[in-house]
Amino acid sequence: MTDEIPHATGDSGPGLAAVVLGGTIDVSDFPKPGIVFKDLMPFFADGRAFRTAVDGIVAHHGPGSFDVVAGVEARGFVVAAAIAYAAGVGVVPVRKAGKLPRQALSASYELEYGEATLEVHEDAFIAGQRVLVVDDVLATGGTAAAALELVERAGGTVAGFTVLMELAFLKGRERLSPRTVHALLTV
């Protein structure tokens, strides 16, 4: 009898899912008791894994299918900047409330463990600009829904939405329906 190795699944196949899973550490009771935080910092620190994931995201959406990448604070910034660089496009931050210096649009939402507000500069996008929105983790979908709404309110057209990891049991994908979610790893 052999021990079974958990099978990594995701929208870009088991190879990319395994890359993300291999760099993820579960941290119990963070930021609150009962929450299991998915720490992706080891994944980000592994240059080969990070590059593989970024290349996989660009390949999935297709070079030339987006004009700019919007990254959601904070770990989404890391992913967005790398994707933008790889695709030769710009990057726009979607920030927590009060962090942007100019006129901003805001959207509030509920997290699985509280409430928050995101903002983007009113002039962040050229009307009709194709925006790939990226974040690290999709949980309940509140953050993602707010970010997607902000992109559209600021004049952008959502060209896609990608996360490194989806926590399927929290049903964020359902909340975002009929939008398409691209998750490298689904747990």
Side-chain angles (χ1 to χ4, degrees):
M1 183 173 221
T2 60
D3 292 330
E4 285 189 35
I5 298 171
H7 182 68
T9 63
D11 296 325
S12 286
L16 280 176
V19 166
V20 177
L21 182 61
T24 304
I25 297 174
D26 287 351
V27 180
S28 298
D29 298 322
F30 184 83
K32 291 184 173 187
I35 302 290
V36 178
F37 183 80
K38 299 294 187 181
D39 184 4
L40 289 163
M41 291 305 149
F43 164 78
F44 290 130
D46 181 337
R48 176 176 278 166
F50 188 48
R51 182 180 195 144
T52 298
V54 168
D55 290 347
I57 292 167
V58 173
H60 171 79
H61 290 284
S65 68
F66 52 93
D67 304 312
V68 66
V69 183
V72 182
E73 189 160 341
R75 294 178 296 176
F77 292 169
V78 177
V79 182
I83 293 168
Y85 178 80
V89 300
V91 64
V92 171
V94 178
R95 304 274 337 244
K96 293 178 182 174
K99 301 289 185 178
L100 295 173
R102 297 182 284 109
Q103 287 288 86
L105 301 171
S106 65
S108 295
Y109 59 98
E110 291 186 23
L111 297 162
E112 58 274 21
Y113 49 82
E115 293 182 3
T117 300
L118 290 178
E119 294 182 335
V120 69
H121 280 128
E122 286 181 339
D123 62 354
F125 309 105
I126 298 166
Q129 194 170 31
R130 300 170 301 163
V131 183
L132 174 60
V133 181
V134 298
D135 203 358
D136 61 334
V137 176
L138 173 62
T140 63
T143 304
L148 295 168
E149 172 194 332
L150 284 173
V151 166
E152 291 174 337
R153 285 178 46 209
T157 299
V158 175
F161 175 66
T162 291
V163 292
L164 297 174
M165 179 186 303
E166 173 188 9
L167 306 177
F169 64 94
L170 293 174
K171 303 189 185 303
R173 187 179 292 247
E174 291 175 18
R175 180 175 183 174
L176 298 177
S177 182
R179 295 185 189 271
T180 301
V181 173
H182 172 243
L184 294 185
L185 171 64
T186 301
V187 295

